[in-house]
Amino acid sequence: MLVCHCLAVNDREVKAAVGQGAATVEDVINLTDAGALCGGCHPSICMLLGEHSQGDCGGDACLAGSRVLCGDRSSV
Amino acid sequence: MNGDPRIIEMLNESLTAELTAVNQYFIASKMADDWSYSKLAKEYYDESIDEMKHAETIIDRILFLDGVPNMQRLFPVEVGESLIEQFQLNYEMEKRAVLRYRAGSALCHEASDPGTRNLLEALLKSEEHHVDDAEAELANLDQIGEKLWLAKWV
């Protein structure tokens, strides 16, 4: 699945970054470039971070503006 | 007519989901067409238009309830990198829509708003059909295998 549409980064690349220890959106941006431009994929990145830490997006990983969208996705 | 703010918020969340679905089906259609799966491209195109009509119904209802339709918010548009991945992502999206409309219908009952509930239940039936069709297709895929399943959509 394409996560970052601006820079064409898929979920496998983001998951690999999480596997390498990325714990925040900022970390994922630094490791993969995903989320570096418009920010529209930050909720998706949060979700992938959340999946990794068993549903807990973890404070600063979750941008305030994205929280509702994150919650919507993880609750279903 | 002044609507319950909880109902307007729920309708706006549904609108966000419908607008997301319009885009997700539309890009799936265009990519399927690019990969020469013209039959599936046509299905996705029609579903994209259906979702736009759902969005229209919701917008009309929000305006009727004196709310402000939020046209600039989207959930993540999930673009699969293969036909099968796209199909599965679209199926997951439809399942979330069914759960959302069921919860919305319960909220309408609680807020004594049968007008909105009727509207949501019509949308719910449509999404349930999408889920049912997708489940039949996924069972089909399991039975006949990827190559034959893909061949159906060329």
Side-chain angles (χ1 to χ4, degrees):
Chain A
M1 181 183 87
L2 209 52
V3 172
C4 173
H5 295 203
C6 299
L7 294 166
V9 184
N10 64 27
D11 56 340
R12 292 184 299 282
E13 293 168 83
V14 174
K15 281 176 191 163
V18 175
Q20 285 167 39
T24 65
V25 171
E26 205 56 36
D27 293 343
V28 172
I29 293 172
N30 290 334
L31 282 166
T32 68
D33 283 346
L37 293 183
C38 83
C41 63
H42 288 188
S44 304
I45 296 175
C46 276
M47 244 200 33
L48 293 170
L49 286 165
E51 259 175 31
H52 198 256
S53 55
Q54 288 161 4
D56 175 16
C57 282
D60 60 349
C62 211
L63 303 185
S66 320
R67 200 170 280 281
V68 174
L69 302 187
C70 270
D72 175 79
R73 293 302 318 283
S74 56
S75 66
V76 174
Chain B
M1 200 179 86
N2 235 337
D4 185 320
R6 291 174 301 162
I7 295 287
I8 291 171
E9 191 187 320
M10 177 272 293
L11 285 170
N12 257 321
E13 189 186 310
S14 303
L15 176 58
T16 300
E18 294 291 355
L19 294 173
T20 306
V22 169
N23 287 7
Q24 190 163 316
Y25 276 125
F26 203 75
I27 187 61
S29 169
K30 293 288 120 186
M31 288 169 77
D33 191 49
D34 186 51
W35 295 330
S36 291
Y37 292 101
S38 50
K39 285 183 188 156
L40 193 55
K42 170 82 170 70
E43 295 261 333
Y44 282 156
Y45 191 88
D46 291 345
E47 287 189 17
S48 177
I49 303 292
D50 274 352
E51 305 293 7
M52 189 176 278
K53 288 176 183 162
H54 292 174
E56 180 183 16
T57 319
I58 297 170
I59 291 165
D60 286 343
R61 185 71 187 173
I62 294 172
L63 291 171
F64 175 80
L65 295 173
D66 291 335
V68 179
N70 187 335
M71 299 299 287
Q72 60 184 4
R73 193 174 62 176
L74 289 182
F75 291 133
V77 177
E78 298 187 325
V79 182
E81 294 172 279
S82 71
L83 210 71
I84 290 175
E85 191 189 21
Q86 280 183 348
F87 197 91
Q88 281 161 341
L89 289 168
N90 293 342
Y91 169 57
E92 294 299 326
M93 178 174 67
E94 294 291 356
K95 282 200 294 186
R96 288 195 295 273
V98 165
L99 292 180
R100 184 177 297 106
Y101 286 133
R102 283 183 187 158
S105 169
L107 177 66
C108 290
H109 185 68
E110 194 186 308
S112 303
D113 185 347
T116 302
R117 197 178 70 189
N118 281 345
L119 180 153
L120 291 187
E121 286 176 357
L123 298 178
L124 172 64
K125 275 188 193 163
S126 168
E127 307 298 4
E128 280 177 341
H129 274 292
H130 286 165
V131 167
D132 192 54
D133 290 346
E135 281 172 355
E137 282 304 331
L138 289 170
N140 214 213
L141 166 63
D142 198 40
Q143 288 154 5
I144 66 178
E146 275 189 23
K147 282 186 182 166
L148 278 177
W149 189 81
L150 289 170
K152 287 202 323 181
W153 301 110
V154 172

